[in-house]
Amino acid sequence: MNSSTAFATTLVDELARCGLAEAVIAPGSRNAPLAIALWEHAERSAGRLRLHVRIDERSAAFLALGLAKVSRRPVAVVCTSGTAAAHFHAAVIEADEAAVPLLVLTADRPPELRGTGANQTTDQLKLYGDAVRWFCEVGVPEARPGMNAYWRSLACRAWASASGAAGTAPGPVHLNLPLREPLVPDTVIAGDPDAADPVARDPAAGDRSVGDPGAGQAGEATGWPEPLAGRPGGAPWTAIGGTAAPAPLELPWTERGVVICGDGSAGPAALLRLAGEAGWPVLAEPSSGARAGPGALAAYPYLLDSPEFVAAHRPDLIVSSGRPGLSRGQLAYLKTASPSGAAPRHVVVAQAPGRWADPARTATDVAAAVRLAGPGPSGGSGWLASWLAADEAAGAAAAGILGADDTLSEPRLARDLAAALPDGALLWAASSLPIRDLDQQMAPRAGVTVLANRGASGIDGLISSACGAALAHQRAGGGPAVALLGDLAFLHDAPGLFAGPDEPRPDLVLVVVNNDGGGIFSLLEQAAFPGPFERVFGTPHRGALAQVAAATGLSATILDRASGLAGALRGDGQRPGPGIRVVEVRTSRAAGTALRGRLRAACTAAAGQAARAPTRPAS
């Protein structure tokens, strides 16, 4: 067995012992030892390790990100040397910011080929900077004693650092793997049964099939200077113990408390329980995991955009979690003074040790968890009742506008789509207008998981992320999956639609809003400059999205009225059977901007009027 094959086979075996269940490969030559080792392990693992192959490195990395975001366990993504590793960078940044566990394995040229002009060679050392939890230049594999312990302990450290088991936040780990030729296993001699010995091809095969004695023969069978088997019984080389949960911070009850939950909130169930006990409203972004329950508000962005409502609802205490900041009103509310004129107490629930979001720099406390000190209000809370009344009024104003006819606007699509999905479904939302439309229109509900790449909020890899999330969701027994994307996000990751005939495919509907450009800029200050706006910010593309889908072999349909949504989600008129389908919704950027203006005016006015009306305590 040559050194590169021995290293790759041992590394993959040890990662599988740690719990690796998904791996994504972008094809190349220098990463051939890892690709072959992963393929062989997946073939033997009876489904425990699932392999995915993507031709585009950026799509491969975001597929891994989606898989890891749902499964919450590290996923390996593997590429060859050179610019291939650079294409992983956007996904690494998102994984860092959103605390998603990734094992980034980049093959590299050995040191003697670096700096010589050798093909597909660049400086890959610490390529991703501080965006990774740990970086290791692994070293060229060598046939000498001590390598088995090094490679296996290295794999366990990488797994612990990526998963958060080492006491830090989960996130990406980068292993740079310089490999010398030969890059493929030693040639099997035709007709020689001993050359195909499974122990010779896999240093841990004896451990799994006949126990330690057979595994101990691996060194002799391969000519390697030491046995390459792992720990007995399939155990990892190094077991990483868990860390004890810190005691929660106790908060004295105050009536004017608010719970704000941003993307990726830590412990959303505990926050909902806290809010219920204290009688506090919950302002939860769709991807927070906390937009559910009687205290969660559907139209809170409109309430926070109403100066009259905010003036009457200044908080004494804010508890925030996750990464708030989806709307400017939400960020402004974090800076709102309390009724006394002083800054309110702002307790941030940390995402992980040493990591918390404080976008307005108003945090007074950071805690791993919080709970109420003593009982909450004995009766109903007038504070909560006033928030609920305003939310109901703003929601009614929005419903009156959106339900006037069968027109399928972008806000109505977001509202109706979130309501139409069955319990157990997954909804992936693009990071621009789709997630914001959901934030303004989605009714609180349990049973649907809403996810988005809100760590760095980029446009990158959203098709691939949604595919990965759907694959992991459905592997775990989850229901149907839908992604709500814009046309630019769809075109930006069109390579994510391509997958080979042997690749696992999710049951996923891509609902694509096509307003021929970047609709969010029409809501920003740039829209006030008509000269450069359309070309520089609006960026019309005139793309035929259905033809893009057809080029990848996918079925596509156009949805033109609100009443047809349920049928489009079922796949009426499209190719039968599970798989990826595209539903295109054509809208107008100008009409969408005008509609959102009308919604904001009507809903903020309704919230202000509700703030002036007396309210009874919520029962």
Side-chain angles (χ1 to χ4, degrees):
M1 179 181 289
N2 64 62
S3 298
S4 293
T5 297
F7 163 70
T9 308
T10 304
L11 182 73
V12 168
D13 176 69
E14 190 60 38
L15 288 175
R17 289 162 176 262
C18 290
L20 183 69
E22 308 271 10
V24 185
I25 296 173
S29 177
R30 190 60 53 168
N31 62 333
L34 287 163
I36 293 172
L38 284 165
W39 180 85
E40 289 185 337
H41 198 103
E43 287 291 298
R44 292 192 313 270
S45 70
R48 291 188 299 275
L49 174 62
R50 185 167 61 167
L51 190 63
H52 311 265
V53 180
R54 293 295 184 273
I55 59 175
D56 180 272
E57 284 85 6
R58 186 175 67 180
S59 296
F62 277 102
L63 179 75
L65 181 95
L67 287 161
K69 195 175 182 79
V70 170
S71 67
R72 298 185 181 183
R73 61 194 307 174
V75 172
V77 58
V78 182
C79 73
T80 190
S81 63
T83 59
H87 288 296
F88 283 176
H89 204 156
V92 170
I93 290 171
E94 175 64 28
D96 171 36
E97 295 294 337
V100 177
L102 283 185
L103 293 167
V104 182
L105 310 180
T106 58
D108 200 355
R109 261 43 180 185
E112 63 268 20
L113 294 182
R114 299 175 188 173
T116 65
N119 192 41
Q120 276 189 286
T121 308
T122 188
D123 185 0
Q124 297 178 198
L125 300 185
K126 297 193 174 181
L127 179 63
Y128 310 116
D130 292 335
V132 296
R133 302 293 180 267
W134 184 52
F135 165 79
C136 183
E137 165 78 345
V138 174
V140 178
E142 297 178 346
R144 60 183 177 85
M147 290 293 96
N148 186 50
Y150 169 50
W151 295 335
R152 290 185 180 276
S153 64
L154 173 88
C156 292
R157 181 181 291 272
W159 182 271
S161 298
S163 65
T168 60
V173 162
H174 178 202
L175 301 184
N176 196 55
L177 314 173
L179 299 170
R180 288 194 180 105
E181 296 180 349
L183 300 173
V184 295
D186 301 328
T187 303
V188 175
I189 302 173
D192 181 2
D194 293 334
D197 181 0
V199 174
R201 292 299 307 279
D202 174 13
D207 177 62
R208 285 194 302 274
S209 57
V210 297
D212 292 335
Q217 298 168 8
E220 297 177 16
T222 63
W224 198 260
E226 64 175 346
L228 290 175
R231 301 284 189 203
W237 195 262
T238 306
I240 310 298
T243 56
L249 175 67
E250 293 194 336
L251 300 175
W253 179 78
T254 180
E255 183 179 35
R256 287 177 168 260
V258 175
V259 176
I260 297 178
C261 298
D263 176 77
S265 287
L271 291 168
L272 290 173
R273 186 165 55 251
L274 170 73
E277 293 171 352
W280 297 336
V282 178
L283 317 184
E285 294 180 8
S287 58
S288 66
R291 200 178 180 105
L297 309 183
Y300 80 88
Y302 294 125
L303 275 56
L304 300 185
D305 280 343
S306 167
E308 190 172 7
F309 179 85
V310 171
H313 292 80
R314 293 185 292 170
D316 288 320
L317 172 66
I318 296 174
V319 176
S320 70
S321 179
R323 300 172 60 89
L326 194 51
S327 67
R328 294 182 179 183
Q330 186 188 62
L331 290 173
Y333 193 72
L334 292 173
K335 301 178 182 178
T336 301
S338 70
S340 68
R345 186 180 185 185
H346 178 191
V347 179
V348 176
V349 179
Q351 296 164 286
R355 290 179 70 90
W356 65 87
D358 181 23
R361 297 194 178 274
T362 53
T364 58
D365 306 78
V366 175
V370 292
R371 69 183 178 197
L372 203 61
S378 56
S381 167
W383 168 254
L384 177 58
S386 65
W387 282 86
L388 294 174
D391 186 62
E392 183 179 1
I401 294 172
L402 296 179
D405 53 34
D406 203 27
T407 300
L408 188 56
S409 62
E410 295 170 31
R412 178 165 182 179
L413 173 63
R415 184 197 69 178
D416 292 358
L417 179 60
L421 296 177
D423 286 349
L426 171 73
L427 175 57
W428 185 281
S431 305
S432 187
L433 277 179
I435 191 66
R436 289 173 169 84
D437 283 337
L438 285 169
D439 196 32
Q440 292 176 338
Q441 307 301 334
M442 178 182 174
R445 60 168 299 188
V448 172
T449 300
V450 181
L451 296 176
N453 278 347
R454 289 290 300 171
S457 299
I459 197 174
D460 321 69
L462 294 180
I463 291 174
S464 299
S465 296
C467 286
L471 282 164
H473 175 73
Q474 289 158 4
R475 186 183 193 186
V482 175
L484 180 59
L485 309 175
D487 49 332
L488 295 187
F490 180 83
L491 294 172
H492 204 275
D493 192 27
L497 296 172
F498 289 88
D502 296 329
E503 298 310 305
R505 281 176 168 77
D507 184 11
L508 172 66
V509 181
L510 301 175
V511 179
V512 185
V513 174
N514 185 2
N515 55 29
D516 194 32
I520 194 169
F521 291 108
S522 298
L523 306 177
L524 302 177
E525 295 83 352
Q526 291 90 337
F529 297 87
F533 178 79
E534 187 64 6
R535 182 182 179 191
V536 177
F537 300 103
T539 58
H541 51 79
R542 305 293 190 264
L545 304 190
Q547 293 182 24
V548 173
T552 69
L554 298 181
S555 179
T557 189
I558 295 174
L559 176 63
D560 57 7
R561 67 190 195 287
S563 57
L565 177 60
L569 294 177
R570 287 194 305 267
D572 293 356
Q574 291 188 279
R575 190 177 303 136
I580 301 175
R581 294 180 286 111
V582 176
V583 175
E584 181 182 355
V585 180
R586 295 176 180 174
T587 63
S588 161
R589 278 187 276 130
T593 301
L595 173 61
R596 290 185 178 91
R598 287 169 51 211
L599 284 167
R600 186 176 186 275
C603 295
T604 55
Q609 183 176 1
R612 295 192 298 271
T615 56
R616 295 180 179 180
S619 57

